[in-house]
Amino acid sequence: MFFRSPFILLLLGLILVAPHHAMAAEQSTLQPFISAKTKKTMGQALADLNAAIESSNYVFIRRQDVDQDLAESGQENHRIVFVFFCNFAMLDSALKIDPGVGVFLPCKITLIDTGDEIEIIAANPALVSHALNEPRLDELCDKLTSDYRNIIEEAAQ
Amino acid sequence: MKAMLLAGLLFLATYPALAERPIISVSKQAEFRAAEDDMVIAIMNHGYKPTKTQPIDHGLRAKGYESRDYHLVLFGNLDEQEKAIAIEPRIAVLLPLKIMIYRIEGGRIGASIPDLSMWKQLYRNEQLNPVIDKWQRDSESILKEFAGR
């Protein structure tokens, strides 16, 4: 009898769905990428990126070409380079909140040589916490977003 | 009145899809090392090359943090990757493809992938959609093979 009322059904639908629609709307307003462009050479941009990573309290893990270990040795594409880095305290906190966050690891910034400039770019970490709908990750991912922005801007200057 | 009822039902019908996590996971009973080998074989069976296994747990333990077994397996297909980059170099942000393998309670080994489909909305490049769809389809099929389904 209770569920026969269309008003109750509508109300129930709105209560259940509204927060998720709000989340989807919020996600759509987030910038998917954090990026900056620079006229530096790839080598200089890489060196400055490493320095910016370390000055932001992250540990440089490694760098690799986009097709490293896929292309023949000596034939790699040096125009797209990944830089992996980590802050182990933040990593530990994130995994303790939600082990699933591991699929979005590790921290990575990509350098793309477009021909006349280098684009330094990363996926916006805030998208992860919003997509996971895990409020306890919000603060951590917002900090990561802020750090990524600072690192990328510092490397591009 | 009927329109309101329909709107309510429509909202209810869309609720599960919106609430889905952007992570797809499977698990099976296995030794961690054997599970990792199974994953590498499943990746190769789907035409991809495993390029690196990153032991996240080793890094954490080396820094004094407790960690369950937690490895990231990176993989790719050179030809597909090059074609995608030719369409949109920024697709590199999604690369390399990866699967997380980790120990869960009770001796089971879990494996998870990110759901790449949300990136189709973010790139807004229709030429990329078939590539992203294929990587997603293949990654899910790799998980199924790993889980023995």
Side-chain angles (χ1 to χ4, degrees):
Chain A
M1 180 69 90
F2 180 76
F3 287 105
R4 281 189 185 170
S5 162
F7 292 107
I8 298 294
L9 264 178
L10 179 59
L11 191 64
L12 204 60
L14 287 170
I15 289 168
L16 286 172
V17 173
H20 297 279
H21 275 300
M23 187 189 79
E26 193 175 358
Q27 187 173 315
S28 69
T29 60
L30 279 174
Q31 291 297 315
F33 304 109
I34 300 167
S35 75
K37 291 177 178 174
T38 177
K39 292 285 186 186
K40 294 175 186 177
T41 63
M42 177 65 90
Q44 189 58 55
L46 275 167
D48 291 346
L49 179 60
N50 292 350
I53 285 169
E54 288 180 8
S55 72
S56 296
N57 290 322
Y58 289 80
V59 179
F60 169 83
I61 304 289
R62 69 173 193 281
R63 55 155 286 192
Q64 70 172 67
D65 295 323
V66 64
D67 52 1
Q68 189 168 310
D69 301 318
L70 287 174
E72 294 286 326
S73 180
Q75 302 294 314
E76 294 93 349
N77 177 358
H78 304 305
R79 298 167 69 89
I80 301 181
V81 179
F82 301 138
V83 174
F84 295 96
F85 57 102
C86 188
N87 176 308
F88 286 96
M90 289 173 78
L91 172 63
D92 181 59
S93 301
L95 290 176
K96 283 196 169 93
I97 293 169
D98 187 340
V101 80
V103 298
F104 299 103
L105 295 173
C107 289
K108 187 193 79 175
I109 289 176
T110 303
L111 292 90
I112 302 172
D113 183 346
T114 62
D116 56 356
E117 58 191 358
I118 305 289
E119 181 172 27
I120 307 173
I121 182 169
N124 186 348
L127 283 173
V128 173
S129 64
H130 288 278
L132 284 170
N133 195 20
E134 173 48 85
R136 290 176 300 162
L137 281 176
D138 285 353
E139 192 181 339
L140 204 61
C141 287
D142 287 347
K143 163 101 171 74
L144 271 175
T145 296
S146 166
D147 288 348
Y148 270 43
R149 193 166 284 128
N150 291 338
I151 289 168
I152 286 172
E153 282 172 7
E154 192 178 323
Q157 278 175 4
Chain B
M1 182 78 78
K2 279 184 181 173
M4 287 178 72
L5 177 62
L6 196 63
L9 289 171
L10 195 65
F11 270 125
L12 283 174
T14 56
Y15 167 69
L18 290 168
E20 276 177 11
R21 276 165 66 85
I23 297 173
I24 297 157
S25 302
V26 297
S27 71
K28 69 174 180 180
Q29 198 75 35
E31 290 298 320
F32 191 79
R33 194 65 180 268
E36 200 167 58
D37 290 343
D38 291 346
M39 184 59 78
V40 166
I41 291 166
I43 288 170
M44 292 168 72
N45 286 345
H46 283 76
Y48 293 85
K49 183 179 177 188
T51 54
K52 191 171 185 63
T53 298
Q54 197 156 337
I56 305 288
D57 50 353
H58 294 191
L60 282 166
R61 289 180 195 131
K63 296 287 181 184
Y65 298 99
E66 285 183 16
S67 175
R68 67 176 83 188
D69 294 330
Y70 230 123
H71 288 190
L72 194 61
V73 182
L74 309 179
F75 62 101
N77 174 303
L78 181 62
D79 188 44
E80 288 177 4
Q81 190 171 296
E82 283 179 341
K83 285 177 182 161
I85 287 169
I87 296 167
E88 169 56 88
R90 282 179 157 200
I91 192 73
V93 172
L94 281 192
L95 300 173
L97 301 176
K98 54 194 162 187
I99 295 177
M100 179 67 81
I101 304 178
Y102 47 94
R103 188 181 301 281
I104 44 185
E105 305 284 326
R108 292 185 73 80
I109 305 301
S112 299
I113 55 169
D115 185 347
L116 300 177
S117 54
M118 76 172 192
W119 286 94
K120 288 195 293 183
Q121 289 173 278
L122 304 177
Y123 279 106
R124 295 169 192 265
N125 183 333
E126 286 192 4
Q127 282 182 284
L128 279 181
N129 291 351
V131 181
I132 295 174
D133 284 339
K134 181 177 185 304
W135 287 345
Q136 184 61 34
R137 217 170 34 244
D138 288 346
S139 297
E140 289 180 27
S141 179
I142 289 166
L143 281 193
K144 283 181 186 163
E145 183 179 325
F146 167 82
R149 292 177 191 167

